[in-house]
Amino acid sequence: MPVVKMNQSLKKLNKLIEEGYGQGEGKDYRPFIDVFRVTTKGRATRIKGWKSQRVHHFLSDSETRFFYLLDYDDEVIDIREHYPLMERLDQITPQLDEQLFKRLINQKTGEPLILTTTFLVTKKGKDGEINYYARSIKDYRQLENNQVIERFEIQRRYWEEKGIDYGIVTNKEIPKTMAKNIEYIHSSYFLDEYGITSSQRELYEDILFHLLVQAGEMRLNELLTNFDKEVNADKGTGLLLFKHLIAHKRLLVDMLKPLDLSISANQVLINEGGDHSDHFLESVDSI
């Protein structure tokens, strides 16, 4: 997990707090760690979230893939990445043994370290109840590292003190096929960014739905090509709309299998219920 070293600790910490890092919710949240200020051995990624409508920062493929699962989950309403453990940390510090306490101190300089949890997630259940859970994302091979385990133990105690469920997710536990499917459709969520107005979208949806109903055994890629010709649109418009409608769950496919445009179009289901369906195939907070 990333650890931020605090040079001139109090002064630096106050500056970060003053600048809003690690604070806020939704579109106003600023991750305590971003791809500009921290180097990583993994692949750094910046992605505009569906729910937050802000840019999220990730330092590995596993973090990014888990984010896709969260963003696709209808019950998740906010995702805060690289959340700092500052508030209430002083309450658990007296309970830490000497070995764990060392993980909060830079042993070379004696300055404090700030631990971060990869995700703090806000979830609204079907009954309207708001719940929170926290997850650390890590490569499974690093769980053999005692220092890593000790930092996870500090986080576990921190979140336990706050009454929030905490867990560790390794790259082995993330359903990669589903995450890759969501990655494939993710950038198609906001059609206005492609110059398609809401009135155009409604017209296009009606035409695509009609073609799907009439398609029979026609292959999906052929149907999408026919759509482009039908509406006299640029090549790829039908595919863009198709991915947009899957993102909004107006069209339903099996997200646990690789998306294949060569399937028969009649394998794609039209969901009249819209966004809030029960099509999310796995509860992410159970991972």
Side-chain angles (χ1 to χ4, degrees):
M1 76 205 69
V3 180
V4 180
K5 297 180 180 180
M6 308 297 292
N7 296 321
Q8 299 179 347
S9 57
L10 184 57
K11 180 179 180 181
K12 182 67 174 180
L13 179 58
N14 287 337
K15 187 174 187 299
L16 287 172
I17 293 174
E18 185 178 316
E19 293 176 352
Y21 287 101
Q23 301 172 70
E25 297 181 29
K27 66 180 181 180
D28 298 321
Y29 175 72
R30 297 188 68 183
F32 196 72
I33 291 174
D34 60 40
V35 301
F36 303 115
R37 296 186 297 115
V38 175
T39 58
T40 175
K41 294 180 180 180
R43 178 161 37 195
T45 309
R46 299 171 68 241
I47 302 169
K48 181 178 179 181
W50 295 349
K51 303 175 188 302
S52 66
Q53 299 192 31
R54 67 172 176 83
V55 175
H56 294 256
H57 294 247
F58 306 110
L59 304 178
S60 71
D61 286 343
S62 294
E63 290 181 8
T64 304
R65 287 170 182 159
F66 195 75
F67 166 75
Y68 283 134
L69 300 178
L70 293 172
D71 221 16
Y72 188 75
D73 188 340
D74 290 337
E75 293 186 357
V76 172
I77 60 175
D78 194 15
I79 305 165
R80 285 176 278 182
E81 74 275 21
H82 305 305
Y83 191 87
L85 278 61
M86 294 186 292
E87 179 192 1
R88 294 196 183 182
L89 193 57
D90 59 328
Q91 296 185 27
I92 70 168
T93 299
Q95 305 171 22
L96 300 179
D97 57 41
E98 182 178 355
Q99 187 62 29
L100 288 181
F101 184 75
K102 286 181 179 180
R103 299 300 162 219
L104 296 175
I105 300 296
N106 185 322
Q107 296 303 300
K108 292 183 179 180
T109 66
E111 297 164 352
L113 303 174
I114 299 298
L115 301 184
T116 60
T117 296
T118 317
F119 289 105
L120 175 59
V121 181
T122 308
K123 186 170 183 176
K124 185 175 183 179
K126 292 181 175 60
D127 57 0
E129 183 180 2
I130 300 296
N131 292 297
Y132 301 90
Y133 62 92
R135 293 292 182 269
S136 290
I137 311 300
K138 204 68 177 173
D139 187 295
Y140 76 96
R141 291 166 295 189
Q142 296 187 15
L143 295 184
E144 298 176 358
N145 185 313
N146 288 335
Q147 292 185 18
V148 171
I149 294 299
E150 287 165 358
R151 286 173 180 153
F152 282 146
E153 174 60 17
I154 293 172
Q155 294 187 66
R156 185 193 67 78
R157 297 188 191 188
Y158 173 87
W159 292 113
E160 182 179 58
E161 173 68 26
K162 293 175 75 71
I164 292 176
D165 181 72
Y166 171 72
I168 302 166
V169 180
T170 72
N171 49 313
K172 281 190 171 183
E173 298 167 292
I174 298 173
K176 290 183 180 179
T177 297
M178 185 171 186
K180 288 181 178 180
N181 285 341
I182 301 170
E183 178 182 14
Y184 179 64
I185 66 174
H186 198 271
S187 62
S188 304
Y189 191 88
F190 301 104
L191 284 184
D192 58 335
E193 295 183 354
Y194 295 88
I196 297 177
T197 65
S198 58
S199 58
Q200 282 179 309
R201 176 185 56 78
E202 292 175 4
L203 174 62
Y204 285 174
E205 283 184 14
D206 289 342
I207 294 173
L208 183 58
F209 288 166
H210 176 75
L211 292 176
L212 283 169
V213 170
Q214 302 296 322
E217 296 296 325
M218 179 184 294
R219 292 186 182 278
L220 179 59
N221 49 14
E222 181 181 352
L223 180 144
L224 296 177
T225 298
N226 291 344
F227 171 87
D228 292 344
K229 296 176 181 178
E230 178 81 16
V231 301
N232 193 28
D234 293 338
K235 182 179 179 181
T237 301
L239 177 58
L240 173 65
L241 180 64
F242 172 72
K243 294 192 290 185
H244 170 81
L245 293 173
I246 293 177
H248 285 269
K249 304 185 181 70
R250 296 294 309 283
L251 294 178
L252 305 181
V253 296
D254 188 346
M255 295 294 281
L256 293 178
K257 296 179 180 180
L259 284 176
D260 182 2
L261 298 180
S262 67
I263 63 173
S264 298
N266 59 14
Q267 295 183 45
V268 180
L269 303 179
I270 298 174
N271 175 28
E272 299 295 343
D275 281 355
H276 299 289
S277 70
D278 294 324
H279 193 60
F280 184 65
L281 300 177
E282 189 168 355
S283 178
V284 178
D285 57 330
S286 67
I287 298 178

